[in-house]
Every structure is written in C-alpha cells, then in structure tokens.
C-alpha cells in the first residue's frame, strides 16, 4: 500500500509529460504468420511501464482455421475478446496461454511474457493495459497466427 501512495505521489508530479506508453514493436509481430509456436512474447513500448500496475495476457482465439488468414476478421474477433478480458467486471474469457511475466523489473520498456509450451496451430491475441511511468494508462492488442 505504501508503494502505491509513493507511486501516486510520483505520478502526480510527473503529470507534465504526455508521451504515453504505446507499442513500438513486438515479437511475434502484429499479424505475424508463424510456422512454429513462439515460446514468449516481447512487447516494446515508447516509454517504461509500471509492471505491477499493468496487465498482460495472451489468449487462444477460437476461430475456424479457414479464417486464419483473414486479418480484418481476426481483428474484430480479437477486439471483442480484448474488451471482455480488459473489462473491470464480468467473466474473463477462457483460453489463456501465457505463463507469467519473464520481466522482473519494476519498470521496463521491454516486457517479456512467457507462453505455455507447444502452443497448437491457431490464432492468438496478445493484449495489455499498461500504466506508464508518466501516469497514463493505455491498452491495446494484436493477433498472431501459428500455422505449421
Ligand atoms: Cu502519457
């Protein structure tokens, strides 16, 4: 709790900067079509994020395989899932495939998310809501597909 108030005080003073933490790049990349399942996801933000006050998740997207290359359609499905997953209340979607954060720092621009081993073929959604060190919250998501 003490850490929270220290953070709040710091953030109140830091209210001048307006860069926000936006995603710069990721691995896998947005809309990547992968032959092998990745072991982790790396997200790079424009500024450092407070890991303990941020949320990251990766979900399997239940979609028929003939849709795996339909980027716009996948985007719509992913958006619906991300809204559900990031909403404050309600039932969280099933199918989480992330296995915790590999990044142990309190703040970081690059965040590594471990994945469960041997993800099967399919579409996956990476989503986040991050508190950046300048006190702003941003959120987003993207899709990648594993198609051996
Ligand atoms: Cu900002």
């Amino acid at each position: 709790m003490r850490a929270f108030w220290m953070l709040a005080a710091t953030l109140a003073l830091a209210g001048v900067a307006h860069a926000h933490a936006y995603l710069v790049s990721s691995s896998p990349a947005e809309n990547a079509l992968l032959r092998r399942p990745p072991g982790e996801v790396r997200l790079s933000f424009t500024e450092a994020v407070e890991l303990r006050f941020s949320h990251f998740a990766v979900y399997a997207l239940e979609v028929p395989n003939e849709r795996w290359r339909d980027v716009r359609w996948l985007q719509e499905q992913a958006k619906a899932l991300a809204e559900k997953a990031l909403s404050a209340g309600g039932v969280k979607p099933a199918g989480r495939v992330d296995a915790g954060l590999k990044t142990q720092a309190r703040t970081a621009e690059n965040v590594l998310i471990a994945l469960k081993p041997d993800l099967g073929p399919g579409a996956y959604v990476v989503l986040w809501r991050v508190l950046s060190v300048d006190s702003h919250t941003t959120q987003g998501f993207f899709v990648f597909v594993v198609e051996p």
Side-chain angles (χ1 to χ4, degrees):
M1 204 57 195
R2 179 158 167 242
F4 174 80
W5 290 115
M6 282 171 64
L7 175 71
T10 310
L11 297 182
L13 293 169
V16 219
H18 296 287
H20 303 10
Y22 292 117
L23 192 71
V24 186
S25 64
S26 66
S27 176
E30 180 168 9
N31 300 325
L33 195 56
L34 307 172
R35 306 306 296 265
R36 291 153 172 266
E40 62 184 29
V41 172
R42 181 181 50 77
L43 302 177
S44 298
F45 293 96
T46 49
E47 63 182 86
V49 300
E50 298 279 352
L51 278 275
R52 286 185 302 166
F53 300 94
S54 300
H55 175 69
F56 304 91
V58 183
Y59 284 89
L61 197 56
E62 293 296 328
V63 292
N65 52 2
E66 61 267 23
R67 291 285 208 171
W68 287 351
R69 287 166 186 250
D70 191 340
V71 171
R72 282 182 67 173
W73 188 82
L74 285 180
Q75 190 81 2
E76 287 167 24
Q77 311 307 307
K79 186 171 186 242
L81 186 144
E83 279 168 6
K84 218 171 139 189
L86 291 172
S87 71
V91 182
K92 297 296 177 201
R96 264 185 90 160
V97 298
D98 55 302
L101 287 184
K102 286 186 171 182
T103 305
Q104 296 298 320
R106 291 172 59 120
T107 66
E109 288 177 16
N110 299 300
V111 178
L112 281 176
I113 307 163
L115 296 176
K116 290 180 180 171
D118 305 320
L119 298 189
Y124 295 89
V125 187
V126 179
L127 57 89
W128 62 90
R129 176 188 282 133
V130 295
L131 176 68
S132 54
V133 292
D134 77 348
S135 83
H136 298 122
T137 303
T138 54
Q139 65 184 57
F141 68 91
F142 67 84
V143 177
F144 68 85
V145 172
V146 177
E147 190 179 12

